[in-house]
Amino acid sequence: MEASGSTRPAVLLVLLFSLLMSLAAATEVSGKAAAAYVVYLGDHSRRDGVLSPEEASRRAADAHRDLLGAVLGDREKAREAIFYSYTKHINGFAATLEPGDAAEIAKYPGVVSVFPNRGRKLQTTRSWQFMRLERNGDVPPWSAWETARYGEDTIIGNLDSGVWPESKSFGEGEMGPIPDDWKGICQNEHDATFHCNSKLIGARYFNKGYEAAAGKPVDDALKTPRDENGHGTHTLSTAGGAAVRGAAAFGYGGGTARGGAPRARVAAYRVCFRPINGSECFDADVLAGFEAAIADGVHVISASVGGDATDYLDDAVAIGSLHAVKAGVTVVCSASNSGPDPGTVTNVAPWILTVAASSTDREFPAFAVFNRTRIQGRSLSERWLHGRGFYVIINGAEATAPGSTQKDAQACLLGSLDPEKARGKIVVCVRGAITRVEKGEAVRRAGGAAMILVNDEVSGNDLHADPHVLPAVHISYDDGLILSDYIKNSNVPSGFVIKGKTILGIRPAPVMADFSSQGPNTVNPEILKPDITAPGMSVIAAWTGAAAPTDRPYDLRRVAFNVLSGTSMSCPHVSGIAGLIKTLHRDWSPAAIKSAIMTSASDLDAERNPIMNSSHAAATPFSYGAGHVFPNRALDPGLVYDMSIVDYLDFLCALGYNATAMRTFNSGSFVCPTAAMRLQDLNYPSITAHGLHAGTTAIVRRRVRNVGLPGTYTATVVKEPEGVHVVVTPAMLVFREAGEEKEFDVTFTISNPAPVTGYTFGAMVWSDGSHQVRSPLVVKIMGNE
């Protein structure tokens, strides 16, 4: 492995060790010798004008078979082993290999990385009004929708579980002809009922990685872009769905449902299928989806999929998105749902726009009534108790079925409740072990009249409005203690569950979702992640006709719209906004679009107070990144922190990645710089100084480009991180024309002694009087040990 003068031997050893451990782990998990791997070779060395695209792809596939054939000693075996050749924008292949062969090919010159075909998990009517794009159902003339023509003719590609093409959210209306430069297809050879139109202009599926993980051929239901589980339909309609009036879910949240870019064209890339050991999406398919979306001509890729944060060139999403950004495609990904623990954020590559999840000002409250007490919870139940009489309330443990444990019955596991003891009663179930709606099904099967779902101590105040199969309400841990005390001290505890409703104007809002994964970035702490937050709680959007709203086999309901929560839901909100910006600023790079979204964001809630977390404490940039997205401001940010593919490749070189492989980018013209860049100097919209000690100083450099009128910008440090003095030099930037770039330095000086250790946060702003170009400041102060 050749390295430039800027590489770090220790990093290379870590990468090699990581590869070997990954290969060993794959063998152990699979339980068999052969497994699927992705062999990544970087970029293609193009000879534009010499070879046709078809001939170039054919030669690339031949080269892949030659390379693997050299390892296997048989080119025909190589042809049989390879199930994907990435031949257009990404260079590499996916194949079924023995672990020893995978380790051997990793040693070959030009091989960037070899990694297992890992599994990944899939991570509205009010959102846009909350973000000021509409008011009382009307779109004001100053809305970003009007300014950016509703995302007209921008193409948003969605890597997810497919799409339900019959949904009204993908009706073509008056979209007009499909753009001439669109190269995609509507892949329906196994599903003649699947049709595209001038709104849903393309759909493909990629299932060979899934098939390799399953170890057997897939059935015809998985040979179509048609969405089986609803996730992809929901996310794609959130990003670019057409306006649908009268949309509601279970009678709640009625209004007009539409995506962030309602007049954008959309394309679905099905890379996620039925779960295998908890994973729905596999890396070989994800990479194939990226390859196709780039070649088809999308402008924005939305990918609500997540796995563990890992080295960038061992990460299918990071690799695919790097090639997308090189082609001018903005990539937006979910931050994952492993919060609120620190260091859980994924999709952390600096060329990805990573989105956290927060609330809007809408809630769906329902009430549990007992002992003259009315406790507010959450619910989207369609069915409610009838009559005016109270019902007996029991703990699940009081209805333990023969052969079950009280612990199982307390959690209301399926089959754990005795119908003789639960019938006609309100059963109290404790959160955990199985899904929330499944607990309601357990109560329903046992003949219970209703369920009160109580949080455990870990879940605290985290409440969810779910479409339960019976009357139900979800209450907090503290309220659950009140209910438990009443049940223990009453001879015949009784109560009632009152139907939920839709409430608007809730405060505070937004509030960070407790499930939203948080920083710091465990791969590169010099880069703040997540980048932004957007609505991701109780989002109403289109749904598949193939699955119940709970996605449970016992639920026979079918709905046009459903309510989901997750960073999967916040991600497409930002994808839609990126689509608006692309429509208005066709020549902007992905980095410029990302910068506009980040620097126009707000770290304040609707009442101008700091954004809070679910525990009612002030959140930090590790929760929300630059802040909550503000679409109207993002269209006209004033200044942007721009970057090209060269900036990202310089960054990878500084990390010690294979310099020979880096040369394959930019048609073989790229060379790692002799002097490695400093990681903290990557021209990122957020600014981090990591690993400083008391009494020390660090200088971080940035450059900004004027995308507005000529003007003078003045720097203000609106908040210094605790224990840190911050100076911006120069403090004034004068721009005489659009497109002009200026550099500045941010100097961080740590107090001595430092009053705190660990991470501390602040913010700075460049302003010309009308634009507020805001960057979060993150400083890691080290202790004396």
Side-chain angles (χ1 to χ4, degrees):
M1 181 179 291
E2 181 182 345
S4 72
S6 64
T7 56
R8 303 174 184 174
V11 173
L12 295 176
L13 288 173
V14 169
L15 293 176
L16 181 58
F17 177 75
S18 174
L19 168 64
L20 294 174
M21 291 300 291
S22 296
L23 299 178
T27 307
E28 181 180 342
V29 170
S30 67
K32 53 187 177 182
Y37 295 87
V38 175
V39 179
Y40 177 51
L41 306 174
D43 205 353
H44 296 281
S45 296
R46 298 288 184 189
R47 291 190 290 170
D48 294 330
V50 177
L51 297 176
S52 69
E54 293 77 15
E55 178 63 16
S57 289
R58 187 189 67 78
R59 292 193 181 189
D62 284 344
H64 296 162
R65 287 190 283 270
D66 290 341
L67 173 59
L68 185 56
V71 174
L72 300 182
D74 188 326
R75 195 174 188 276
E76 183 60 24
K77 286 184 178 179
R79 186 189 66 79
E80 294 174 355
I82 294 174
F83 56 86
Y84 281 127
S85 264
Y86 310 113
T87 63
K88 296 174 182 177
H89 292 268
I90 301 167
N91 189 5
F93 58 88
T96 302
L97 302 172
E98 302 285 342
D101 293 331
E104 181 64 24
I105 200 169
K107 302 173 184 177
Y108 272 58
V111 175
V112 179
S113 58
V114 180
F115 52 92
N117 177 40
R118 300 185 190 92
R120 295 173 180 269
K121 295 182 179 181
L122 292 165
Q123 310 277 338
T124 136
T125 55
R126 180 63 182 174
S127 301
W128 307 114
Q129 186 164 332
F130 180 66
M131 292 189 283
R132 306 182 189 180
L133 290 180
E134 59 182 344
R135 178 182 290 174
N136 298 324
D138 297 321
V139 180
W142 42 259
S143 167
W145 276 339
E146 286 286 328
T147 304
R149 306 190 304 281
Y150 295 84
E152 184 178 87
D153 281 345
T154 287
I155 303 170
I156 300 174
N158 193 41
L159 271 61
D160 210 297
S161 64
V163 65
W164 189 256
E166 292 83 4
S167 170
K168 291 182 179 179
S169 292
F170 307 114
E172 57 188 347
E174 300 177 357
M175 289 295 294
I178 296 172
D180 292 338
D181 57 354
W182 173 245
K183 301 180 181 65
I185 64 171
C186 194
Q187 190 177 3
N188 60 359
E189 72 275 20
H190 294 285
D191 184 357
T193 65
F194 190 102
H195 298 289
C196 298
N197 56 34
S198 58
K199 173 66 174 178
L200 176 63
I201 62 174
R204 298 178 185 262
Y205 66 90
F206 301 92
N207 60 17
K208 294 177 182 177
Y210 178 88
E211 192 172 64
K216 60 182 180 180
V218 298
D219 58 47
D220 282 353
L222 305 186
K223 297 177 181 178
T224 170
R226 186 174 292 279
D227 184 10
E228 274 193 326
N229 69 24
H231 193 275
T233 301
H234 197 282
T235 54
L236 185 54
S237 65
T238 301
V244 181
R245 296 186 180 278
F250 319 105
Y252 299 90
T256 299
R258 61 183 123 204
R263 290 189 61 80
R265 317 284 179 155
V266 297
Y269 298 86
R270 188 181 183 188
V271 298
C272 302
F273 301 87
R274 300 165 187 166
I276 298 176
N277 296 326
S279 297
E280 299 99 339
C281 328
F282 289 84
D283 279 355
D285 298 329
V286 170
L287 209 53
F290 270 107
E291 169 95 329
I294 300 166
D296 287 347
V298 306
H299 302 114
V300 177
I301 292 176
S302 188
S304 292
V305 298
D308 294 336
T310 187
D311 292 320
Y312 302 129
L313 300 188
D314 282 345
D315 182 336
V317 173
I319 291 169
S321 57
L322 179 63
H323 287 269
V325 167
K326 178 177 180 286
V329 180
T330 299
V331 180
V332 186
C333 293
S334 52
S336 293
N337 300 333
S338 299
D341 292 339
T344 51
V345 63
T346 67
N347 295 321
V348 296
W351 45 87
I352 294 173
L353 181 46
T354 309
V355 188
S358 46
S359 69
T360 67
D361 64 343
R362 179 184 63 193
E363 288 183 352
F364 303 106
F367 299 89
V369 178
F370 56 90
N371 194 31
R372 299 180 180 178
T373 302
R374 189 171 184 260
I375 288 178
Q376 179 174 307
R378 302 283 185 275
S379 183
L380 286 172
S381 292
E382 290 181 281
R383 297 173 51 204
W384 292 95
L385 297 175
H386 298 288
R388 298 183 179 180
F390 276 43
Y391 291 72
V392 173
I393 304 176
I394 62 170
N395 280 311
E398 296 178 59
T400 303
S404 294
T405 66
Q406 286 195 346
K407 181 179 179 181
D408 287 349
Q410 186 71 64
C412 296
L413 303 190
L414 290 174
S416 67
L417 301 176
D418 187 345
E420 294 298 321
K421 300 173 183 176
R423 185 175 292 112
K425 299 172 183 175
I426 298 174
V427 181
V428 179
C429 303
V430 176
R431 185 174 175 181
I434 60 174
T435 64
R436 298 182 297 272
V437 294
E438 204 156 77
K439 295 174 185 291
E441 173 65 9
V443 174
R444 188 189 68 81
R445 290 184 185 182
M451 174 183 71
I452 299 177
L453 176 61
V454 175
N455 273 348
D456 56 14
E457 188 170 8
V458 173
S459 301
N461 298 313
D462 173 45
L463 301 181
H464 294 264
D466 294 311
H468 294 285
V469 295
L470 81 171
V473 60
H474 182 189
I475 66 175
S476 71
Y477 173 71
D478 288 340
D479 287 336
L481 293 179
I482 296 172
L483 174 59
S484 177
D485 185 66
Y486 166 66
I487 293 173
K488 290 177 182 176
N489 294 289
S490 176
N491 292 328
V492 184
S494 61
F496 203 78
V497 173
I498 299 178
K499 181 178 181 178
K501 55 185 177 179
T502 304
I503 299 292
L504 305 179
I506 297 295
R507 296 292 186 266
V511 172
M512 295 307 303
D514 78 311
F515 57 76
S516 187
S517 289
Q518 297 198 34
N521 181 340
T522 57
V523 178
N524 280 118
E526 299 87 354
I527 305 297
L528 173 64
K529 289 287 179 172
D531 294 308
I532 200 82
T533 190
M537 298 177 69
S538 299
V539 175
I540 297 177
W543 194 245
T544 178
T550 61
D551 196 28
R552 300 288 98 185
Y554 49 76
D555 188 353
L556 302 181
R557 295 174 294 176
R558 295 296 182 266
V559 296
F561 293 88
N562 198 8
V563 177
L564 294 182
S565 296
T567 56
S568 282
M569 285 63 253
S570 56
C571 166
H573 279 86
V574 176
S575 303
I577 294 165
L580 296 179
I581 299 174
K582 187 66 177 180
T583 293
L584 191 63
H585 303 289
R586 220 55 173 177
D587 60 340
W588 280 17
S589 70
I593 292 173
K594 177 179 184 175
S595 175
I597 290 172
M598 291 177 64
T599 61
S600 60
S602 175
D603 63 347
L604 302 178
D605 66 17
E607 294 186 318
R608 309 295 296 168
N609 295 316
I611 294 175
M612 309 293 281
N613 62 28
S614 60
S615 299
H616 308 301
T620 74
F622 282 162
S623 295
Y624 53 68
H628 193 278
V629 65
F630 204 134
N632 295 324
R633 291 179 184 170
L635 298 183
D636 179 24
L639 305 176
V640 295
Y641 295 81
D642 207 356
M643 285 186 280
S644 70
I645 187 65
V646 173
D647 293 286
Y648 296 125
L649 295 179
D650 285 346
F651 176 79
L652 291 173
C653 290
L655 287 173
Y657 282 102
N658 187 325
T660 301
M662 293 297 101
R663 290 196 188 107
T664 67
F665 287 88
N666 282 2
S667 301
S669 63
F670 179 78
V671 178
C672 283
T674 303
M677 68 168 290
R678 299 187 310 159
L679 297 179
Q680 64 266 34
D681 287 341
L682 183 70
N683 201 42
Y684 214 70
S686 56
I687 300 173
T688 299
H690 186 268
L692 306 185
H693 291 84
T696 62
T697 294
I699 299 175
V700 178
R701 177 156 295 181
R702 289 291 187 272
R703 68 179 184 275
V704 287
R705 178 164 59 87
N706 181 30
V707 293
L709 298 173
T712 299
Y713 283 80
T714 302
T716 303
V717 179
V718 293
K719 179 186 177 184
E720 289 189 325
E722 185 179 359
V724 184
H725 180 54
V726 181
V727 176
V728 181
T729 310
M732 183 179 294
L733 300 175
V734 179
F735 295 93
R736 294 179 173 81
E737 60 184 2
E740 187 177 2
E741 284 192 321
K742 300 280 186 180
E743 287 189 343
F744 65 92
D745 291 337
V746 182
T747 302
F748 300 91
T749 302
I750 311 301
S751 302
N752 193 9
V756 295
T757 58
Y759 285 99
T760 180
F761 307 94
M764 64 162 288
V765 171
W766 286 105
S767 178
D768 64 350
S770 59
H771 300 94
Q772 303 289 318
V773 187
R774 182 181 168 279
S775 292
L777 305 176
V778 181
V779 179
K780 173 68 178 294
I781 303 175
M782 308 301 289
N784 295 323
E785 65 277 356

